[in-house]
Amino acid sequence: MTRKIIIDCDPGHDDVMAILLALAHPEELEILGYTTVCGNQLVEKVTANLAKVLTAIGKSGKIAMGCDTPLHYAPDPQPGAHGESGLDGPILPEATVKVLDKHAIEFMRDVLENSDKKITIVALGPLTNIAVFLKTYPHLRSKIECITLMGGSIYSGNILPKAEFNIYEDPHAAKIVFESSIPIIMSGLEVCNEASILHTEIDALQGNGKVQDLAHDILQFFSKYNRDRNKDRSPLFDVVPIMHLLHPEYFTSQKFPVHIEVAGEYTRGMTVVDLREPRDPNTLNAEVLTHCDRDKFMKVFLDALIQLDKN
Ligand code: BDR
Ligand code: CA
C-alpha cells in the first residue's frame, strides 16, 4: 500500500539524501509535496536548493515555501555544516521546477483537506511549519497519520551539549508538536549515528551516473567535518525517518515520555527523554528509534541512488 507523505525540510545535504531515497520508492511513498522551513539556512535559500536539486535530477514536485523564522528565537543558520548556500559542494543548474505561489501552511491545509486518506508528515528540519499548521488548522489534526521526524536525542546533543539542531532551532515549535497527541516517531542522534555512511562508500559513488555524482558531491562536502576529525564515517541524519517508513524492521524502538526544554544556556532544545520506570502508558508521547541495522540500511540507500540513475 502506498503511503502518502509531505516532506517538510530545510535542504540541507542530508535532507537531499532523504528526498532521493523517497523518490526511488514511488510504490511505497507518494510525495504529495515538499514544504520548506528556515533551518540549515534561510528559507529562501533552502527552497531554492530544493528546486535546483529536483531540476538537476529531472524530477518535478510541488514545493511550498514556509516559515522564515522560528516562533520565538532568531534564525540561526549553520554555514559551518551546510555552507553559505545551505547546500555547498555540488554545482547545481538554474531551477526550472517552480516554487508554488502558496505558503507551506496553506499548502498543507489544501492537501489534508482534499485527501480521503490520512497523511504522514516527514519532518527533516525545525518544526516551525508543523507547529503553526497545528495551531492554525486544529480540525485537520485527525488527517495526520503520524509525524516522523529527525530531531532530538536521548543522551547527547550536537549543536549544544544536550540539544540537537532541529529542536534547538525552534524548541517552542517542537514543544507544540510533541504535546499534540499526534503519533510521533523520533529519529534522534543516537540512531542517526548508527546510520552512518562510510567515507569509502561516499568516494565510490563518483563516476557512476548523474544522481550518484550529485550524491557524491553533496556528501563530500557534508563529510568534511568528520573527515577533518579523522572519522571514517558520517551520519545520514534525515535519511533515517524515510528509511524507517520503508523498512521499520531494520530498527528497534521504544515509547517514552519526551519533553522539550525551550530555554537554557546548555539545554535549549533538549529532548528530555524520561527513562524512569515504571512508565505510565498515558505519558508515552513518542516512539524513539534506538538502533538500526547499518548494513541493511546502507544497501537500500545506495541501491536507491543506482535505481534513480537507471530511470
Ligand atoms: C539535523 O540538522 C541539520 O543540520 C540536518 O539537516 C539534520 O536535519 C541534524 O542535527
Ligand atoms: Ca534537515
Side-chain angles (χ1 to χ4, degrees):
M1 203 178 60
T2 313
R3 186 190 284 264
K4 291 179 186 289
I5 65 172
I6 293 175
I7 300 183
D8 187 73
C9 55
D10 59 339
H13 297 71
D14 52 327
D15 302 73
V16 173
M17 295 303 117
I19 290 166
L20 293 178
L21 176 63
L23 284 169
H25 292 273
E27 283 172 15
E28 293 100 323
L29 301 175
E30 180 185 354
I31 305 173
L32 301 175
Y34 306 89
T35 51
T36 57
V37 66
C38 167
N40 290 325
Q41 258 300 348
L42 300 180
V43 72
E44 293 81 6
K45 290 188 180 181
V46 299
T47 308
N49 291 340
L50 178 55
K52 288 179 189 172
V53 164
L54 292 180
T55 303
I57 59 169
K59 299 279 184 193
S60 58
K62 292 181 179 162
I63 304 174
M65 187 161 82
C67 297
D68 60 4
T69 181
L71 295 183
H72 292 289
Y73 292 118
D76 188 8
Q78 297 298 312
H82 297 274
E84 282 303 329
S85 71
L87 188 59
D88 277 14
I91 298 168
L92 294 167
E94 282 308 307
T96 54
V97 174
K98 297 279 174 249
V99 177
L100 298 178
D101 188 18
K102 190 186 276 188
H103 194 279
I105 307 304
E106 309 312 321
F107 176 77
M108 283 185 191
R109 178 204 57 198
D110 291 351
V111 170
L112 267 72
E113 249 171 14
N114 294 322
S115 174
D116 47 5
K117 266 181 76 177
K118 286 195 176 194
I119 286 166
T120 296
I121 299 195
V122 183
L124 307 179
L127 295 164
T128 321
N129 285 340
I130 299 162
V132 173
F133 175 77
L134 295 178
K135 286 285 179 200
T136 313
Y137 299 112
H139 68 288
L140 289 172
R141 288 168 180 230
S142 57
K143 288 281 190 83
I144 301 176
E145 176 87 47
C146 72
I147 299 170
T148 181
L149 62 94
M150 191 281 128
S153 61
I154 304 171
Y155 301 108
S156 190
N158 55 5
I159 185 107
L160 287 181
K162 290 288 183 188
E164 179 280 331
F165 173 72
N166 287 339
I167 309 295
Y168 157 90
E169 176 76 359
D170 196 344
H172 298 88
K175 188 169 165 63
I176 291 170
V177 171
F178 275 80
E179 292 178 357
S180 68
S181 300
I182 295 168
I184 289 172
I185 305 171
M186 176 176 133
S187 299
L189 291 177
E190 289 81 10
V191 71
C192 292
N193 284 333
E194 289 189 5
S196 284
I197 186 164
L198 297 173
H199 297 155
T200 50
E201 289 168 331
I202 297 175
D203 297 341
L205 289 169
Q206 196 170 30
N208 298 320
K210 192 170 63 174
V211 176
Q212 289 172 88
D213 277 343
L214 176 68
H216 171 267
D217 294 352
I218 288 175
L219 290 173
Q220 279 297 340
F221 184 93
F222 194 52
S223 60
K224 195 174 173 321
Y225 180 90
N226 279 335
R227 287 180 200 256
D228 288 350
R229 286 157 183 78
N230 290 324
K231 303 252 178 77
D232 70 341
R233 62 194 71 199
S234 296
L236 289 179
F237 305 105
D238 290 343
V239 180
V240 174
I242 297 284
M243 187 65 79
H244 181 254
L245 289 178
L246 294 170
H247 288 289
E249 73 279 10
Y250 293 177
F251 296 85
T252 58
S253 68
Q254 210 177 333
K255 289 190 175 168
F256 289 107
V258 179
H259 308 287
I260 307 296
E261 197 73 87
V262 295
E265 192 179 352
Y266 302 108
T267 55
R268 164 184 156 184
M270 178 179 179
T271 43
V272 181
V273 179
D274 192 343
L275 302 168
R276 293 173 298 175
E277 291 182 321
R279 291 179 201 107
D280 175 352
N282 296 316
T283 63
L284 309 177
N285 61 335
E287 177 182 354
V288 179
L289 304 190
T290 45
H291 295 288
C292 83
D293 184 323
R294 191 208 89 93
D295 292 345
K296 288 182 179 161
F297 180 112
M298 211 49 66
K299 177 161 184 2
V300 172
F301 173 68
L302 295 172
D303 282 351
L305 304 179
I306 294 169
Q307 190 56 40
L308 289 172
D309 268 325
K310 284 187 187 152
N311 293 340

